[in-house]
Amino acid sequence: MFNLLKKKETEPTVLAPCDGRIIPLEQVKDATFSQKMMGDGFAVMPAGEYIVAPFKGTVLMVFPTLHAIGLRAEDGLEFLIHIGMDTVNEKGKGFECFVREGDKIKPGTTLIHFDREALQAKGYDMTIPCVITNGTEFSITRLITAENAKAGKTSVLTYSQNRG
């Protein structure tokens, strides 16, 4: 009977960082991401223009060009959100950042706004790869693809800490 009263342990979750369609990383049209050279994860085909925190944690780094942000979850998971392919070439134009390195975040905290239509009009592929960058310490246990993921609300993957 007392086992019924114990809180069921759940695996940590990463929420969608942007509104859009969640796809496997292998479908990204950039070998660095599709071949998982930077780590395992997923990608978002964005329908929105805001990147939000996918979990509770801390901002590790904001790239000077604002096209990517590194985050750390409370359990140590390190996560990179990379907005578009080759958008680094814009040197920050079309991006606005709302956080700084060291800021505490919670699910749904607004991180970055990007002008998706303007960047697409310049020919950029706006796919957003999202990868676990310390994959030797963490493993994805489940990826949940979704057609209409909602930023900061839709669960897209669960993970576990590697033991040993």
Side-chain angles (χ1 to χ4, degrees):
M1 174 166 147
F2 289 106
N3 285 341
L4 296 174
L5 300 176
K6 281 185 181 176
K7 187 177 176 191
K8 185 180 175 188
E9 215 174 290
T10 58
E11 290 180 310
T13 301
V14 174
L15 303 173
C18 184
D19 289 344
R21 183 164 52 100
I22 307 300
I23 62 170
L25 207 52
E26 294 86 354
Q27 292 180 15
V28 174
K29 295 174 185 151
D30 180 297
T32 301
F33 294 106
S34 65
Q35 293 178 14
K36 302 181 182 180
M37 294 178 200
M38 297 188 72
D40 202 356
F42 60 91
V44 182
M45 304 298 285
E49 295 191 336
Y50 285 90
I51 301 297
V52 304
F55 46 68
K56 189 174 182 181
T58 307
V59 176
L60 270 184
M61 88 181 288
V62 177
F63 285 69
T65 51
L66 309 180
H67 78 288
I69 188 166
L71 309 172
R72 180 182 289 132
E74 288 184 315
D75 61 10
L77 177 91
E78 293 180 1
F79 198 70
L80 173 73
I81 301 171
H82 190 281
I83 307 162
M85 300 297 116
D86 301 319
T87 53
V88 64
N89 297 331
E90 289 300 303
K91 299 179 173 76
K93 188 171 185 212
F95 296 89
E96 181 182 5
C97 188
F98 299 95
V99 292
R100 292 192 313 255
E101 189 175 310
D103 283 359
K104 298 293 180 199
I105 54 172
K106 62 183 191 227
T109 300
T110 301
L111 305 174
I112 296 174
H113 173 262
F114 61 100
D115 190 336
R116 180 171 50 98
E117 289 183 8
L119 291 162
Q120 281 178 321
K122 290 183 176 187
Y124 291 105
D125 174 348
M126 292 309 300
T127 303
I128 303 170
C130 303
V131 298
I132 297 171
T133 55
N134 59 344
T136 56
E137 297 171 45
F138 295 89
S139 297
I140 294 173
T141 53
R142 185 169 177 224
L143 173 63
I144 306 153
T145 57
E147 284 300 315
N148 297 303
K150 295 295 175 204
K153 297 190 183 329
T154 306
S155 262
V156 294
L157 72 78
T158 57
Y159 63 93
S160 62
Q161 197 158 7
N162 297 333
R163 307 280 180 221

